[in-house]
C-alpha cells in the first residue's frame, strides 16, 4: 500500500508510528486491516482474554499507571484465562492505531486523540478507526512546559530558535505542543523540534541538548520533582490568558491551572491547558462481559493505585471527555447500572 504525500505527516496504521511526511493508509485500508485481523463483534470469533494494554513512555504517567491497572484487572476480575500485560508504547496515537490493527486490546489515550481517531482527523486523517470503544475517563492531564532557570526562558515566545521536545512519536502530545507553539506565532521551522520520550527529553534538558520539553502529564508528576531534585532549577512556563483562549477555541483542550505547591519548586500557580486521559478497548477483541468487568475495576480498584492521580479517578467523572467516541458495550452497561446514562 503506497502512501500519498501529505506535508502535515501522519500515522502509519500498519506500524503505529509516524509516517514521516507520508499520510498513512486510507480509510478502506484501515477497515480491511481491522477486518482481517479481528473477528466481528457479532460472532465473537475475535474475542480474547489475553490482553495487552498500551501505555506510554517510561518517563510519563501512563506507563506505571498501565502496569498497576494490568495487575488490578488480572487479580480482581473473575474471568477464565484472563491475563493482562502492560506494554511500553509511544502513547495515545500508537495505542489507538494498534487497537485498530488488533495488536493491542486496551490502551490509555488522550480524549482529543481518540476523538480524532474515530473521526478520521488530525493524526488519523484519512484513516478513521471504527473498533475503539470508550471504557472511562481517568484524570485530567496538564500541558507542562518544562525548562531550567539557566535557559532564561520565561515565556513560550522565548522558545523561538530553541530546541524543544514535543513528545514521542505515536503520542498525543505533539498535536497539543504544536498548537501551543502556534498560538505564540511559532510554526515549524522557528524552533528545532525533538520527538523524544519524556524521560529522554529531560535527560537532554540536563545535558544542555534541549531548551524545553512540552509534556502532557497527570498532575502532579513525580518525575518533575525528581528532575528538580537533580537540577535544582526546574521552571514551568505559563500560558497567558489570550493564548489559552485561542488554544481552547481551536478545540480539544480545556483551560487548566496547576496550583502553587503542586511541586516542591512551584511557588505560584501556572495557567495552562489540559486534556483527559481515558481508557479505551477494542470492540472486536474485548467482549461486552469483559469490558463491563474492566470498566468496573477501573473505578472500584482506583484506591489500590499508588500514583497520586488515583484521587482524581472517580465514577462521577467517568464519562467526561468522551465526545463522539462510542462507548464500549460493556462500559455502556456498567454506566447505565450506575445511573450515569439516561
Amino acid at each position: 500500500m503506497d502512501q500519498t504525500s501529505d506535508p502535515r505527516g501522519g500515522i502509519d496504521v500498519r506500524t503505529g508510528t509516524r509516517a514521516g511526511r507520508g499520510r498513512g493508509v486510507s480509510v478502506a485500508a484501515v477497515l480491511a486491516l481491522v477486518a482481517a485481523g479481528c473477528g466481528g463483534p457479532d460472532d465473537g470469533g475475535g474475542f480474547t482474554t489475553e490482553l495487552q494494554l498500551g501505555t506510554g513512555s517510561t518517563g510519563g504517567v501512563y506507563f506505571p499507571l498501565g502496569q498497576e491497572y494490568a495487575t488490578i484487572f488480572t487479580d480482581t476480575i473473575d474471568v477464565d484465562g484472563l491475563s493482562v500485560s502492560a506494554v511500553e508504547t509511544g502513547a495515545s496515537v500508537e495505542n489507538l492505531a494498534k487497537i485498530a490493527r488488533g495488536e493491542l486490546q486496551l490502551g490509555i489515550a488522550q480524549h482529543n486523540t481518540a476523538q480524532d481517531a474515530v473521526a478520521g482527523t488530525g493524526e488519523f486523517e484519512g484513516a478513521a478507526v471504527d473498533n475503539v470503544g470508550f471504557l472511562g475517563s481517568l484524570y485530567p492531564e496538564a500541558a507542562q512546559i518544562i525548562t531550567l532557570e539557566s535557559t532564561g526562558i520565561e515565556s513560550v515566545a522565548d522558545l523561538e530558535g530553541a530546541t524543544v521536545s514535543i513528545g514521542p512519536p505515536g503520542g498525543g502530545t505533539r498535536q497539543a505542543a504544536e498548537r501551543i507553539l502556534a498560538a505564540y506565532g511559532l510554526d515549524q521551522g522557528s524552533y528545532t523540534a525533538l520527538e523524544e520520550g519524556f524521560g529522554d527529553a529531560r535527560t537532554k534538558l540536563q545535558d544542555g541538548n534541549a531548551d524545553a520539553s512540552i509534556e502532557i502529564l497527570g498532575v502532579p508528576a513525580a518525575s518533575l520533582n525528581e528532575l528538580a531534585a537533580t537540577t535544582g532549577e526546574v521552571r514551568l512556563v505559563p500560558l497567558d490568558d489570550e493564548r489559552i483562549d485561542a488554544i481552547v477555541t481551536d478545540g480539544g483542550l480545556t483551560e487548566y491551572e496547576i496550583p502553587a505547591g503542586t511541586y516542591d519548586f512551584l511557588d505560584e500557580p501556572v495557567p495552562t491547558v489540559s486534556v483527559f486521559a481515558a481508557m479505551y478497548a477494542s470492540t472486536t477483541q474485548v467482549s461486552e462481559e469483559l469490558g463491563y468487568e474492566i470498566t468496573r475495576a477501573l473505578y472500584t480498584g482506583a484506591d489500590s493505585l499508588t500514583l497520586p492521580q488515583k484521587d482524581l479517578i472517580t465514577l462521577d467523572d467517568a464519562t467526561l471527555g468522551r465526545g463522539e467516541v462510542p462507548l464500549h458495550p460493556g462500559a455502556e452497561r456498567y454506566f447505565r447500572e450506575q445511573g450515569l446514562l439516561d
Side-chain angles (χ1 to χ4, degrees):
M1 290 176 286
D2 293 332
Q3 297 172 356
T4 57
S5 176
D6 181 353
R8 293 176 352 97
I11 289 295
D12 186 337
V13 296
R14 296 169 297 182
T15 65
T17 57
R18 185 170 305 283
R21 291 302 186 187
R23 179 172 180 173
V25 297
S26 67
V27 174
V30 174
L31 297 177
L33 283 165
V34 172
C38 312
D42 292 332
D43 62 20
F47 294 150
T48 179
T49 56
E50 296 180 2
L51 309 182
Q52 293 218 81
L53 193 169
T55 61
S57 64
T58 56
V61 176
Y62 286 7
F63 181 72
L65 180 69
Q67 288 184 310
E68 292 195 23
Y69 262 128
T71 299
I72 290 170
F73 297 156
T74 302
D75 290 347
T76 65
I77 296 175
D78 186 16
V79 170
D80 288 343
L82 177 65
S83 65
V84 185
S85 300
V87 295
E88 181 184 1
T89 68
S92 298
V93 177
E94 182 177 343
N95 291 342
L96 295 166
K98 285 189 171 181
I99 287 176
R101 294 196 317 280
E103 294 180 12
L104 293 174
Q105 293 71 46
L106 301 171
I108 306 173
Q110 296 171 14
H111 82 274
N112 56 325
T113 306
Q115 291 176 25
D116 282 345
V118 300
T121 57
E123 297 282 5
F124 291 85
E125 185 172 355
V129 176
D130 71 348
N131 70 324
V132 166
F134 179 87
L135 288 181
S137 183
L138 299 174
Y139 58 88
E141 297 185 286
Q144 301 180 60
I145 307 168
I146 306 159
T147 190
L148 302 182
E149 292 179 4
S150 55
T151 65
I153 294 168
E154 297 183 354
S155 165
V156 174
D158 295 333
L159 296 177
E160 183 173 5
T163 299
V164 184
S165 176
I166 57 173
T173 296
R174 177 185 176 120
Q175 185 179 31
E178 290 180 340
R179 187 175 297 170
I180 289 168
L181 292 163
Y184 285 81
L186 302 181
D187 296 321
Q188 291 183 9
S190 59
Y191 57 92
T192 299
L194 300 178
E195 291 187 280
E196 301 283 354
F198 296 153
D200 290 339
R202 290 177 211 138
T203 297
K204 290 193 173 182
L205 268 178
Q206 294 178 69
D207 295 344
N209 294 316
D211 300 300
S213 176
I214 302 177
E215 305 181 10
I216 306 293
L217 295 169
V219 177
S223 54
L224 291 195
N225 275 331
E226 293 169 5
L227 179 63
T230 301
T231 65
E233 55 164 340
V234 173
R235 170 183 290 158
L236 292 185
V237 180
L239 302 181
D240 62 68
D241 291 343
E242 180 181 352
R243 269 46 173 250
I244 288 174
D245 289 343
I247 294 165
V248 169
T249 300
D250 197 26
L253 300 168
T254 58
E255 186 174 352
Y256 190 84
E257 183 176 84
I258 303 172
T262 296
Y263 299 108
D264 298 340
F265 59 85
L266 198 63
D267 296 327
E268 297 181 355
V270 177
T272 184
V273 292
S274 72
V275 296
F276 279 98
M279 187 75 74
Y280 298 89
S282 168
T283 56
T284 50
Q285 288 193 297
V286 177
S287 69
E288 177 180 338
E289 182 59 34
L290 186 50
Y292 173 93
E293 294 296 338
I294 291 172
T295 305
R296 177 190 58 78
L298 278 178
Y299 300 102
T300 60
D303 286 344
S304 301
L305 297 169
T306 65
L307 298 167
Q309 284 74 28
K310 72 177 187 178
D311 295 332
L312 303 176
I313 301 174
T314 67
L315 188 59
D316 289 343
D317 294 337
T319 60
L320 292 179
R322 179 170 74 90
E324 299 301 317
V325 180
L327 284 166
H328 188 281
E332 181 174 6
R333 177 155 67 93
Y334 181 73
F335 291 154
R336 287 195 186 282
E337 286 183 3
Q338 300 301 314
L340 297 180
L341 301 175
D342 296 331

